[in-house]
Amino acid sequence: IVEDGLGDGRTLSDVFLEFEERPIGAASIAQAHRAVLRPNRPDEPPERVIVKVQYPEVSRLFQADLANLELATRLFAPENIEVAKALRKRHENELDFRKEARNLEECARHMREFGMEPERVRIPRVRNETGICSENVLVM
């Protein structure tokens, strides 16, 4: 999934010095792996990161569930169809890790502006300098 997300033929070893296959955590739509990112420049040290990888079937299953929800809503509670559509939109946003990356970056920027980050609040820093983040992969 990570290599597919790169979309340019690079392999895990092209991007990471280390990548732990065994996840350190898992949730409903993704799992997290420890990794060490290759430096972009020779003078940079390698950096430990977390790679959040979406399960391959999640998007398809969510789409099927939401389609069934919309169908049931149209049949049994058509006055609530806008609620069903709003749920679809929200879940589609949750399934796109590029949007999550933008949200993390925006949140960190706001927290820095208010003097909260990094002294009082720590927001994970998105690492996408080499285009590793995708719809299904988030590196932080």
Side-chain angles (χ1 to χ4, degrees):
I1 292 172
V2 177
E3 288 176 344
D4 289 344
L6 294 170
D8 58 7
R10 288 182 290 170
T11 65
L12 284 177
S13 61
D14 292 331
V15 178
F16 302 102
L17 290 172
E18 298 172 23
F19 187 93
E20 292 183 18
E21 292 289 330
R22 184 171 177 219
I24 60 166
S28 59
I29 68 168
Q31 57 190 28
H33 298 264
R34 286 186 181 112
V36 176
L37 197 57
R38 285 191 180 279
N40 287 329
R41 297 186 322 255
D43 60 329
E44 289 180 338
E47 185 175 350
R48 293 193 175 283
V49 294
I50 296 296
V51 182
K52 183 176 173 182
V53 182
Q54 192 174 112
Y55 299 122
E57 69 281 359
V58 164
S59 182
R60 181 182 55 78
L61 294 173
F62 264 86
Q63 294 303 330
D65 288 347
L66 293 167
N68 289 334
L69 174 66
E70 284 183 20
L71 177 63
T73 302
R74 286 183 198 284
L75 293 173
F76 301 113
E79 68 278 7
N80 293 323
I81 194 63
E82 292 307 314
V83 173
K85 287 181 180 180
L87 282 170
R88 175 183 288 276
K89 178 81 171 151
R90 179 181 156 129
H91 285 293
E92 286 172 349
N93 285 336
E94 291 287 324
L95 293 171
D96 188 341
F97 288 173
R98 295 169 300 192
K99 291 179 182 178
E100 182 174 347
R102 286 191 298 271
N103 291 338
L104 284 167
E105 290 167 340
E106 181 179 352
C107 184
R109 187 176 67 253
H110 289 300
M111 289 293 137
R112 280 191 303 276
E113 288 171 6
F114 289 105
M116 301 293 286
E117 211 269 340
E119 291 79 20
R120 295 184 178 185
V121 176
R122 298 286 306 196
I123 308 294
R125 191 177 82 153
V126 175
R127 298 302 313 266
N128 196 29
E129 297 84 4
T130 58
I132 9 177
C133 295
S134 68
E135 185 175 359
N136 304 315
V137 177
L138 178 60
V139 179
M140 15 182 193

